Amino acid sequence: MTTPTDPARGDDAAADATPVPTAWGPATGVGSLPGADPAEALRQVVGELPDFAHLPELPARGPGADLIGRSAALLVDLAFDLTPAGWRLVPRAGIDQRRAEELLARDLDALHDVADRWTGPFKVQAAGPWTLAAGLERTRGDRAVVDAGARRDLAQSLAEGLTAHVAAVAARVPGAAVVVQLDEPSLPAVLQGGLPTVSGFGKLAAIEAAVVEQELADLVSRLPVPVVAHCCAPRAPLGLFRAAGAAALSFDLGLVQDLDALGTAVEAGTRLFPGVVPGTDATLPTAKATASRVQAWWRELGFPGDDLAGAVTLTPSCGLAGATPAYARAAMAHVREAARYLLPG
């Protein structure tokens, strides 16, 4: 897969540019898988999703492999530790931070060992700035999400860390066109005032959508590669994600009812990543039946059928960490096969 350059930027800028995908793959995973062996998980991903792989997350390895701990391991010049109540920002790094960083390093080692010859789009995932701020406590015990200064520091640190992470992946897999997925499962609660306080006896005040959009857009603009915004929770703010600059929207097809937001995204050239099979064990329909469901949804959006394959990437509805290994493999194979039925002709 080749990467286009922009002649208007000049040869030097083009040479320094980070590769971006010239085409999205037809199917990929959301991120997490069951198990604790990063090399084996990566072999499964590369084997089942040969056109758009991703760096798998393995939360079964314990603290530091979970969404918040793994994402905090990317932070630059910020320290964190694990308390009985969860992850907390602290003045100095401790053993829990070192463990999280070591787990991430092992994933990068596996990437070099298993997928160093990969070519094409390749996705890495991390908590988005709002979910990370909702999941990290400040030293005095409240969530970082309530403090605009803490949010700003976190977002800047995360942007710097993700940029370095993208470079580390690209160095190990030179043929990869890396994209970043920002996972924002907490964002609907942030917008609706649904986040519980640390004590659990109250709810945090809602944060205005304009503030959320601006701070997310600032982070997206700092990243050197396209961004996929993912939320498989109800009321995923897809319009906000698109307005913040996300190149693609990832969501559970069964939960999204805002067809206008999706239609606007398609018209703007934003890629859609509909999640079409459950993230935990279930009886799967035939791949053709899943494709027919996606085609019916596309017709409801009002776009020509021949445009479908060029506009969507099929995924499971959410991460697969809670599934059995056999189902996780079957779900990845299922979205790959269903995507083939979407091709025109």
Side-chain angles (χ1 to χ4, degrees):
M1 180 173 291
T2 58
T3 301
T5 57
D6 183 353
R9 297 177 59 195
D11 293 339
D12 291 341
D16 293 338
T18 303
V20 297
T22 58
W24 301 93
T28 191
V30 170
S32 65
L33 290 177
D37 184 338
E40 176 58 26
L42 191 55
R43 278 191 286 267
Q44 290 184 18
V45 168
V46 170
E48 299 297 346
L49 299 167
D51 297 309
F52 192 175
H54 66 281
L55 186 61
E57 303 159 272
L58 303 173
R61 290 184 290 180
D66 59 291
L67 176 61
I68 300 301
R70 179 182 175 87
S71 302
L74 295 168
L75 295 174
V76 176
D77 296 330
L78 290 177
F80 60 96
D81 210 347
L82 187 61
T83 73
W87 293 102
R88 177 176 293 182
L89 295 167
V90 293
R92 292 175 298 278
I95 188 172
D96 296 311
Q97 179 167 347
R98 290 193 292 272
R99 172 179 167 79
E101 292 169 348
E102 288 169 0
L103 289 171
L104 192 57
R106 290 176 199 167
D107 292 347
L108 292 175
D109 290 342
L111 184 60
H112 179 267
D113 294 340
V114 174
D116 62 313
R117 296 185 180 181
W118 174 272
T119 58
F122 189 90
K123 182 165 63 66
V124 298
Q125 304 83 216
W130 289 97
T131 291
L132 187 59
L136 282 172
E137 294 180 16
R138 297 190 299 169
T139 303
R140 67 185 189 186
D142 52 356
R143 295 179 188 266
V145 73
V146 304
D147 185 320
R151 295 198 310 263
R152 181 179 61 252
D153 291 345
L154 274 174
Q156 291 175 351
S157 178
L158 180 61
E160 187 175 347
L162 274 171
T163 298
H165 186 51
V166 167
V169 170
R172 288 162 176 79
V173 191
V178 183
V179 299
V180 168
Q181 176 178 300
L182 296 178
D183 293 324
E184 286 286 14
S186 298
L187 192 47
V190 169
L191 291 165
Q192 297 157 24
L195 276 180
T197 59
V198 171
S199 69
F201 294 112
K203 301 286 186 182
L204 298 179
I207 297 179
E208 293 181 6
V211 174
V212 171
E213 180 188 318
Q214 179 56 51
E215 294 187 18
L216 181 59
D218 183 63
L219 173 60
V220 170
S221 70
R222 292 171 182 266
L223 298 179
V225 295
V227 170
V228 181
H230 169 71
C231 181
C232 56
R235 300 184 182 180
L238 301 181
L240 186 153
F241 286 148
R242 184 193 60 79
L249 308 176
S250 176
F251 52 91
D252 182 341
L253 183 60
L255 294 179
V256 172
Q257 298 178 340
D258 189 352
L259 297 183
D260 288 341
L262 292 174
T264 300
V266 173
E267 290 171 347
T270 305
R271 186 81 175 186
L272 300 184
F273 283 43
V276 295
V277 294
T280 53
D281 289 37
T283 301
L284 295 174
T286 65
K288 187 174 183 180
T290 294
S292 296
R293 175 189 171 206
V294 174
Q295 289 164 336
W297 163 75
W298 186 252
R299 288 194 296 270
E300 190 174 0
L301 288 178
F303 295 104
D306 287 350
D307 294 346
L308 174 55
V312 304
T313 294
L314 300 188
T315 74
S317 62
C318 212
L320 295 166
T324 61
Y327 177 82
R329 184 186 291 271
M332 289 188 286
H334 186 92
V335 295
R336 182 193 72 233
E337 292 298 321
R340 293 180 179 175
Y341 285 102
L342 303 183
L343 296 173

